[in-house]
Amino acid sequence: MLTASLTLDPAFTVAPVRRRTFGSFIEHLGRCVYTGIHDPGHPTADADGFRGDVVDLTRELGVSTVRYPGGNFVSGYRWEDGVGPVAKRPARLDLAWHSTEPNTVGVDEFITWCRAADVEPMIAVNLGTRGVQEALDLLEYCNVASGTHFSDLRRANGSQAPHNVRMWCLGNEMDGPWQTGHKTATEYARLATETARAMRMIDPDLELVVCGSSGSGMPTFGTWEATVLAEAYEQVDLISAHAYYHEEDGDLASFLGSAIDMDRFIEDVVATADAVRAAKKLTKRIHISFDEWNVWYTGAAASVLPTDGSWPVAPALLEDHYNVADAVVVGNLLISLLRHSDRVRSASLAQLVNVIAPIMTEPGGRIWRQTTFHPFALTSRWAVGDVLRVELASPATQTAKFGSTPLVDAVATRDPKTGAVAVFAVNRSLTESLVLDVDLRALGAIELEECLTLANPDPHAHASVDDETTLVPRENTDVKREGDRLRVELPPVSWTMLRLS
Ligand code: AHR
């Protein structure tokens, strides 16, 4: 059997595991908000109309931060529409998703939901159709304690304490021609810089995310980052990156290599940011907010917008059903994010509920976990302490997209307080089981606690509302301890977590 080897040494670390790596995203899109998190008629709904079962699964998923309210939606959003008495809130056309936005849920409700789900809010301002003033108004509404027009309005609307939102996105995907109010890099750089500068006049310690590219395949990728950072570098902390992957034309082997693209994307953004830093002779480093990533079957039937001229409220959009291979890719993308924890300081799985999501709901009814739920939940729970700089050697295969592609990818974390180690690994081979041979010499006395693997003879099998329990990670008994080595068999197209303590 082919063997990959992995050497772990606590002396070599990348960076601390960042809790914000395990963020997610709630957009006013499809059924993410309405009949997703908010469903007042649901048996588990609380007094605010939020589904208790969604809050429970959000906690089980281990979500740290949640980005809101978009996404493309934010580029036409008037945040004032979503505050105050619900009966008086206007309905609006949402140009991004050809829907009607009833504004039943707005920023106050979102913050209430965040507190219930124990997640940190991350708010995007509209730099598509709006600008500096509206961003300042929203910041005043959220973060100023009292004594001003918008802070007192928040208090009158029921929130005495400020929402104290620390992370703010300066627009969304402004490089994309599909974006309402799309801008050139130069136009956006000026607007983002001035918005950031003004927001810091209210609160200098905000963590501000400037828009990077909406994909590494964008024609402006690289020059966009360089132009925007040349202007905004001193005013921002993070630059965003977005990436979605899916199996195309039956090329599962390339799809399973998606993390290679994410690795390159991150490293290219880091190189670009550092080049601007060098030219400016600064010491400050810009970090990455990978605030949209996932598998997304763009163009598949589930993702098609209505064409009959109707503007429905909360239509079912982008409700992809994920299979085992998708879960392996999600697990691998998390491996990529973790291994770059020195520069990726925040990330958001897009999205949380119903819309390209790990959690699915029926309106007023059942809730279920997609296959992608499991690698995310287990990585979020057990990746603790420091990310180790591992030495990995793997046999490779040729893929159409990436050329020579290592069959195994892995990352490890170690909690310096307890010595507990977690290894997350994928086998990208379509046909071969592989042995992962882990060298534990440097770890001292350590025992295997648990080995879980997600795999299935049919990698295209997916979970459903009627069966969410068949395709879950199961105990992997093909593990052997041989002195200072641990040998675990990884089945084809699989994701595995090993825990040692
Ligand atoms: O997450 C779905 C959409 O993908 C978001 O609205 C947008 O930012 C991206 O193009």
Side-chain angles (χ1 to χ4, degrees):
M1 198 178 286
L2 290 170
T3 299
S5 65
L6 183 69
T7 306
L8 308 179
D9 191 325
F12 303 112
T13 60
V14 177
V17 174
R18 318 269 174 199
R19 285 305 307 154
R20 283 176 172 170
T21 308
F22 305 104
S24 187
F25 177 28
I26 291 177
E27 177 167 0
H28 285 253
L29 193 183
R31 299 194 308 109
C32 189
V33 173
Y34 306 111
T35 73
I37 60 168
H38 192 257
D39 196 354
H42 192 270
T44 69
D46 64 13
D48 298 303
F50 290 118
R51 283 179 69 145
D53 56 355
V54 174
V55 166
D56 289 346
L57 280 202
T58 302
R59 286 170 177 266
E60 185 182 317
L61 188 60
V63 171
S64 54
T65 43
V66 174
R67 183 169 174 254
Y68 174 88
N72 297 339
F73 171 80
V74 79
S75 295
Y77 184 50
R78 293 177 241 207
W79 68 267
E80 306 88 333
D81 291 346
V83 300
V86 172
K88 289 194 176 156
R89 296 185 190 177
R92 299 274 189 195
L93 293 182
D94 163 20
L95 306 188
W97 303 107
H98 301 107
S99 306
T100 298
E101 172 53 50
N103 282 305
T104 315
V105 169
V107 67
D108 293 323
E109 287 82 13
F110 171 64
I111 296 290
T112 302
W113 182 85
C114 286
R115 305 297 180 230
D118 197 20
V119 301
E120 180 190 359
M122 176 181 184
I123 291 189
V125 299
N126 175 358
L127 293 187
T129 59
R130 308 187 100 187
V132 183
Q133 186 60 62
E134 294 87 348
L136 289 177
D137 294 346
L138 178 57
L139 176 60
E140 181 187 321
Y141 185 89
C142 288
N143 284 11
V144 172
S146 63
T148 65
H149 174 75
F150 284 113
S151 61
D152 286 343
L153 182 61
R154 182 199 68 241
R155 288 164 65 87
N157 289 339
S159 299
Q160 297 306 310
H163 297 329
N164 194 21
V165 178
R166 306 317 307 159
M167 286 187 91
W168 294 80
C169 303
L170 301 165
N172 175 71
E173 293 192 347
M174 299 309 302
D175 63 322
W178 57 86
Q179 201 69 212
T180 314
H182 159 62
K183 293 176 175 52
T184 65
T186 313
E187 288 165 348
Y188 172 67
R190 289 291 306 131
L191 180 58
T193 305
E194 290 314 310
T195 306
R197 206 164 60 79
M199 289 175 80
R200 289 201 189 286
M201 289 176 187
I202 295 181
D203 184 345
D205 298 329
L206 297 175
E207 294 168 78
L208 299 180
V209 185
V210 76
C211 290
S213 293
S214 46
S216 59
M218 293 297 286
T220 50
F221 175 55
T223 55
W224 174 276
E225 281 76 3
T227 306
V228 167
L229 288 178
E231 187 82 29
Y233 200 99
E234 288 89 339
Q235 293 297 341
V236 301
D237 306 287
L238 302 114
I239 185 160
S240 69
H242 293 179
Y244 293 102
Y245 303 97
H246 64 278
E247 185 182 338
E248 276 176 281
D249 306 323
D251 185 1
L252 180 55
S254 291
F255 173 52
L256 289 167
S258 295
I260 294 174
D261 179 79
M262 184 181 252
D263 286 341
R264 289 180 189 162
F265 190 177
I266 293 169
E267 286 153 25
D268 286 349
V269 174
V270 166
T272 309
D274 287 353
V276 177
R277 170 179 173 267
K280 285 179 174 280
K281 300 175 179 50
L282 296 171
T283 51
K284 166 184 164 179
R285 287 196 193 275
I286 296 289
H287 295 108
I288 295 177
S289 168
F290 217 115
D291 47 40
E292 287 188 33
W293 67 271
N294 204 348
V295 173
W296 177 6
Y297 285 82
T298 42
S303 302
V304 169
L305 298 172
T307 51
D308 60 2
S310 68
W311 294 73
V313 174
L317 295 176
L318 282 52
E319 299 203 3
D320 287 2
H321 282 184
Y322 293 120
N323 59 39
V324 171
D326 298 330
V328 172
V329 169
V330 163
N332 200 169
L333 296 173
L334 274 169
I335 289 171
S336 170
L337 291 169
L338 279 172
R339 112 168 107 240
H340 292 100
S341 292
D342 52 340
R343 297 305 289 270
V344 176
R345 292 287 172 94
S346 178
S348 302
L349 175 72
Q351 300 191 4
L352 182 66
V353 190
N354 292 331
V355 173
I356 44 172
I359 300 171
M360 300 297 288
T361 66
E362 293 178 327
R366 293 175 289 178
I367 188 166
W368 57 284
R369 298 164 188 80
Q370 298 240 38
T371 54
T372 53
F373 184 98
H374 306 290
F376 190 102
L378 288 167
T379 309
S380 175
R381 176 157 182 208
W382 295 110
V384 176
D386 296 320
V387 181
L388 297 184
R389 193 174 298 281
V390 297
E391 228 8 84
L392 174 67
S394 167
T397 189
Q398 287 296 320
T399 62
K401 260 194 194 152
F402 302 110
S404 176
T405 302
L407 289 172
V408 172
D409 195 11
V411 74
T413 62
R414 180 175 177 275
D415 184 347
K417 291 193 209 113
T418 62
V421 168
V423 177
F424 305 94
V426 290
N427 176 2
R428 298 157 166 166
S429 170
L430 304 186
T431 50
E432 304 293 316
S433 286
L434 272 106
V435 169
L436 179 64
D437 182 332
V438 189
D439 181 340
L440 307 171
R441 262 173 310 172
L443 295 175
I446 197 149
E447 295 298 330
L448 180 70
E449 281 280 323
E450 185 178 36
C451 181
L452 295 175
T453 292
L454 177 62
N456 194 58
D458 174 9
H460 292 105
H462 54 77
S464 71
V465 67
D466 295 315
D467 180 8
E468 60 160 344
T469 53
T470 303
L471 301 173
V472 295
R474 299 196 181 277
E475 187 187 352
N476 183 336
T477 50
D478 293 319
V479 195
K480 266 188 241 138
R481 181 74 186 250
E482 289 172 5
D484 283 338
R485 312 191 83 82
L486 198 67
R487 291 168 63 80
V488 54
E489 196 177 314
L490 310 178
V493 194
S494 63
W495 175 89
T496 293
M497 177 186 74
L498 277 166
R499 288 200 305 111
L500 304 128
S501 65

